[in-house]
Amino acid sequence: MTEKSTYDAASLPDLLPIYYKKLFPYGLYYRWLNYGGVPKSYFTNREFSFTLKDDVYIRYQSFADQQEMEKEIQKRCPYKIDIGAVFSHKPKDHKTVKAAAFQAQEKELVFDIDMTDYDDVRTCCSGADICEKCWPLMQIAVKILDRALEEDFGFEHRLWVYSGRRGVHCWVCDETARKLSQNGRTAVAEYLSLVKGGEHQNKKISLDTTRLHPFISQSLEIVKARFYDYAVKKQDFLGDEENQKKVLSLITDETLRTELEENFTSKEFEKDTSKTAWAVLRNHVDKKKSEANYKGSKYVLEEIMLQYCYPRLDVNVSKGVNHLLKSPFCVHPKTGRVCVPIDPKKIDEFDPMAVPTISEILEELNSVEKEDFNKKTKEFNKTSLKECTQVFERFVKKLEETWKGKGKMIEQSDMTMEF
Amino acid sequence: MLIGSRTKRPKNSKLIKSGAEHRLQIYKVPPKETVTLQEFEEYAVERLKVLKAIENAGIRHIRGSEDYNHLVEKEIKKTKLAKIIRTDYSTDCEEFMIDHISHFILRLAYCRSEDLKRWFLQQELDLFRFRFLKENAEDKQKFLKVNSLDYNPISEDEKQRVLQDLMASAGRNSTTADTNEYFKVPFTEVLDLVRGRKVFLSRGFAYVPKDDMISILITHYRAHLSQQLAMTSRALPQLEEDNRLLPMLSGLSKRYLGQDYSSKKSNVGKITAEMIDSLSKQSFPPCMQNLHQSMKRDHHLKHGGRMQYGLFLKGIGLSLEEALRFWRTEFTKAMDGDKFDKQYSYNIRHNYGKEGKRADYTPYSCNKIIMSNAPGPGDNHGCPFRHTDADLLAQKLRLQGISKDFTDKIMKYTRDGHYQIACKYYFDATHSGVEEPDVNINHPNQYFDESQHFYSGKKE
């Protein structure tokens, strides 16, 4: 095996044509977005947008079938592909339709979790950077949201994708989800949101009912199971005075907060600062809560844990029926990594740093093709893209089960002429 | 609906029997009566008074509270639609007809833009909720039946299985969960409850306690009216031919909704990019001052902030050219000109209606800023009274030199959720000598205009 090639954005114009010719999984992709061809116009009325070289952006692309889509993508070699809504008419014809009549009608329900939104609570990175110390935030986000989407909302067809740099996306493809109105999407997104507040709201979580909604209890269980490892060991979130102050500022009960401040300054935490500080914090709070005259929040510790870990999703991404979101299997221009599907049940085994870049994959393809003359193997199965493509394949097959049933019914009724 | 000649209807003519099964409705069937032009305008104006009363009460008090109900009733009684707050009149009387017709007339007036639609929808929903909650249990049930929304409660067995979860979702009402009847409906029917996490969800179904069934109605009504408004606005061009109605309809929305600041023709060209900094200290409302300062500090604003601030600046009369200069000067302190041109100038031009579908976007009203698009991590937009921690807000007021009296007043109203009234006191505190107790702050551009008016008055 040759050394792994390092990715250089300048080489994209050379690499993308090969990627789009040999590796992009058009077949599966089309099977997904066609949704069994019911109605027939579902695929042809879907909007795609392309970002070409030099930031040229073109909207309202649409295709008659898989073949036309393949041809167009291979011809243009877009740096980025976005998937939009299914419209009332073919997007490429939108100028021939009266503006008011050209409407976005359906689209998958989508979620975008971006690591930048956690900058105020991570100590290791900021902005577009991620590392193995803050990646657990994504693991927590996927676990919490996937559970809720499945168990609370009954959504069965959820496609999770790594965005290639600093976050994850979720595409919910059930029919109910695709038909949701803007109001419906906002309702789902707000149900899933707990972290609320802009730059001038320091405390972003307040649990103030005497009982917790089952969604919150379930989410807390997931957070609690991972909190120690993430916040104490990886983030060292109580590791110095400044960070300790930040955590304590989330405690609204003044007496409790001042007592803890004194506690922290008087004790000397030599090593394992966060570990000791967290234990001190927990014990003190528990003791305080059991006192008769305690009037503060019952959920002090929970609120701290949630503020540091709970998923931060951008409601604006989820609420628009016509909102465009980056397509799975494109290449992230800045990192060169492919936007690969992830199995949410195996999120703990997923390593974003190990996601292959386009240069690495093409390198793999080269070396394999020299050795392997079995032309029957699909190209992507020869590379490290194999596993993620299998995740995608399972997702598509599960979707296809849902319209197989319908197909059978149509066959039967055709035979007996009963409707 | 036919609109007849100018002659008034003879007093003893028979009203067409409505045939409606309930005095409350969600306006599915258009009216069939004939009205005169005069009545057309009159009914519209009366309903508008009712909707304004609802809006006003909602600003001053929490919806559903005693004070709220009291104020709504008091104001509606002053209009010709006074009877609609009662629950004892028949569907054959005049009030029912006026209720029916006036709703449809206002649809015509308020379908023409997103802001108007949103306003109309919000007030009609609140009015409906107010009226529905006044009905007795029997009439409520009848209404649900008439609208095919009567569901069967879940079995006792099923209820016991999920009882713990039901109680946990009920929050403050957990003690009644045991005895309450529950209905299992698709979550899409109770979006309001889902949004507020007020209901237990399992596999796509919401377990709704009997008292919350109104939420189904609201969701249903909202979806229906929203769709109808969209359809009406598409059909409107055909109506344009009737030049009796159009001037009146557009006058209606402007007169009672107040200005929407969509085109400040008088001021355009007078405001330059250089003036903005000093104007911000003198006449900008706190929300815009905040955005201005954040931008000067970070040389950047996130999308929500750019929209809220950019449209406000357009509303005070900043031209597109000046706007581009203003944003570019500030942003290029932290990025290069190319990046600004590629990624940000499009947005600004879009706000001025020069790109995309060329809509002329209107500056956000207080209602919109407070109620929608709440700020998230890294955001500086929103309403400072709504979206700032209380102690931070108090501190900021002190730092600005606001007197203790005014600060206390502002904090009190903020705590009670009356953000626009808090803003009005902020205005009073910063414009000493102004005395207008009845003026509400409804729009950041209104704040700006009032402030400019105050200062130009002082000069004289």
Side-chain angles (χ1 to χ4, degrees), chain A residues 54-55 100 103 117 150-156 176 180 183-184 186-188 190-191 193-194 197-203 211-216 312 316, chain B residues 165 167-169 171-172 174 187-188 191 194-195 197 199-205 222 234 290 302 342 373 375-380 386-389 392 396:
Chain A
D54 296 326
D55 284 325
Q103 300 281 323
D117 290 337
E150 182 178 6
E151 291 174 16
D152 295 8
F153 288 98
F155 291 133
E156 307 272 9
T176 321
L180 272 179
N183 211 27
T186 313
V188 176
E190 299 219 2
Y191 175 94
S193 297
L194 277 182
E199 285 290 281
H200 302 287
Q201 287 163 295
N202 181 39
K203 186 171 171 66
R211 275 173 178 267
L212 290 181
H213 187 281
F215 167 76
I216 302 183
R312 298 170 176 213
N316 286 317
Chain B
D165 289 321
M167 287 168 73
S169 314
R172 289 189 180 86
S174 58
F187 81 88
T188 42
L191 294 176
V194 170
R195 185 200 316 266
R197 221 181 291 117
V199 73
F200 172 58
L201 287 187
S202 176
R203 305 232 73 107
F205 286 92
R222 180 195 295 271
R234 284 201 283 277
N290 183 32
K302 287 183 88 169
K342 270 189 202 161
N373 198 21
D379 281 327
N380 284 287
R386 165 85 178 82
H387 297 116
T388 309
D389 285 338
L392 182 59
K396 280 181 154 194

Side-chain angles (χ1 to χ4, degrees), chain A residues 166-184:
Chain A
R166 62 184 175 191
V168 292
H169 301 159
C170 180
W171 296 77
V172 184
C173 304
D174 298 53
E175 195 176 347
T176 321
R178 287 181 275 130
K179 289 179 147 66
L180 272 179
S181 63
Q182 174 161 313
N183 211 27

Side-chain angles (χ1 to χ4, degrees), chain B residues 335-349:
Chain B
M335 70 173 63
D336 56 49
D338 269 351
K339 182 169 180 193
F340 176 83
D341 292 331
K342 270 189 202 161
Q343 295 186 7
Y344 295 94
S345 63
Y346 177 88
N347 231 158
I348 300 168
R349 294 165 52 78

Side-chain angles (χ1 to χ4, degrees), chain B residues 59-334:
Chain B
I59 293 177
R60 290 178 183 281
H61 304 291
I62 308 225
R63 286 176 182 78
S65 68
E66 246 190 79
D67 285 334
Y68 174 85
N69 292 338
H70 193 71
L71 185 56
V72 169
E73 280 189 32
K74 181 170 144 214
E75 294 300 312
I76 293 186
K77 274 193 187 142
K78 295 180 188 167
T79 74
K80 292 207 170 84
L81 283 163
K83 221 169 180 178
I84 64 172
I85 59 173
R86 289 163 53 173
T87 57
D88 57 356
Y89 62 94
S90 84
T91 58
D92 287 331
C93 75
E94 194 173 26
E95 274 75 8
F96 177 83
M97 180 203 71
I98 300 181
D99 177 13
H100 191 187
I101 295 180
S102 62
H103 170 94
F104 279 88
I105 298 175
L106 288 191
R107 274 197 203 178
L108 291 173
Y110 283 85
C111 67
R112 288 168 316 120
S113 80
E114 285 311 309
D115 278 347
L116 292 174
K117 272 191 230 167
R118 189 182 303 117
W119 184 87
F120 179 66
L121 190 62
Q122 182 64 46
Q123 312 321 321
E124 283 285 341
L125 287 175
D126 282 346
L127 175 64
F128 176 80
R129 189 188 279 117
F130 173 78
R131 291 171 72 186
F132 185 81
L133 290 174
K134 279 187 139 254
E135 300 278 342
N136 62 34
E138 195 190 317
D139 282 337
K140 275 187 182 142
Q141 195 60 30
K142 183 169 169 213
F143 183 84
L144 289 173
K145 190 139 184 250
V146 164
N147 286 277
S148 312
L149 291 170
D150 55 337
Y151 295 86
N152 289 319
I154 58 176
S155 70
E156 192 57 34
D157 279 344
E158 183 167 8
K159 187 166 145 196
Q160 287 307 319
R161 262 197 309 113
V162 291
L163 191 59
Q164 288 303 316
D165 289 321
L166 292 179
M167 287 168 73
S169 314
R172 289 189 180 86
N173 298 320
S174 58
T175 43
T176 58
D178 216 356
T179 50
N180 226 337
E181 265 190 320
Y182 276 82
F183 298 78
K184 192 168 153 182
V185 304
F187 81 88
T188 42
E189 311 243 343
V190 283
L191 294 176
D192 281 353
L193 294 179
V194 170
R195 185 200 316 266
R197 221 181 291 117
K198 295 198 165 74
V199 73
F200 172 58
L201 287 187
S202 176
R203 305 232 73 107
F205 286 92
Y207 288 73
V208 187
K210 191 155 183 200
D211 297 333
D212 281 338
M213 286 302 269
I214 184 176
S215 188
I216 298 189
L217 271 177
I218 297 286
T219 305
H220 193 72
Y221 186 15
R222 180 195 295 271
H224 168 74
L225 187 52
S226 201
Q227 184 204 48
Q228 289 291 303
L229 284 172
M231 270 171 56
T232 309
S233 84
R234 284 201 283 277
L236 207 52
Q238 291 150 27
L239 188 62
E240 300 286 63
E241 296 167 13
D242 189 332
N243 53 17
R244 296 175 296 170
L245 298 176
L246 205 50
M248 188 208 308
L249 288 175
S250 35
L252 265 177
S253 52
K254 279 234 152 56
R255 203 189 334 166
Y256 283 89
L257 198 47
Q259 268 229 62
D260 60 359
Y261 301 95
S262 52
S263 46
K264 255 340 210 124
K265 292 215 169 73
S266 50
N267 257 1
V268 174
K270 290 202 190 138
I271 311 270
T272 67
E274 287 75 20
M275 291 162 70
I276 293 180
D277 203 42
S278 54
L279 273 177
S280 79
K281 295 189 179 91
Q282 185 194 58
S283 292
F284 280 13
C287 49
M288 303 304 171
Q289 280 182 34
N290 183 32
L291 282 166
H292 182 77
Q293 282 158 19
S294 303
M295 183 158 90
K296 292 200 70 179
R297 182 191 64 221
D298 305 328
H299 310 302
H300 189 266
L301 274 183
K302 287 183 88 169
H303 183 256
R306 295 200 301 275
M307 289 302 285
Q308 185 175 317
Y309 192 34
L311 288 173
F312 167 77
L313 291 175
K314 182 174 87 154
I316 67 171
L318 193 69
S319 69
L320 174 58
E321 292 70 36
E322 288 299 313
L324 284 167
R325 269 204 322 123
F326 172 69
W327 291 97
R328 196 173 203 279
T329 312
E330 205 50 59
F331 272 46
T332 49
K333 289 181 185 160

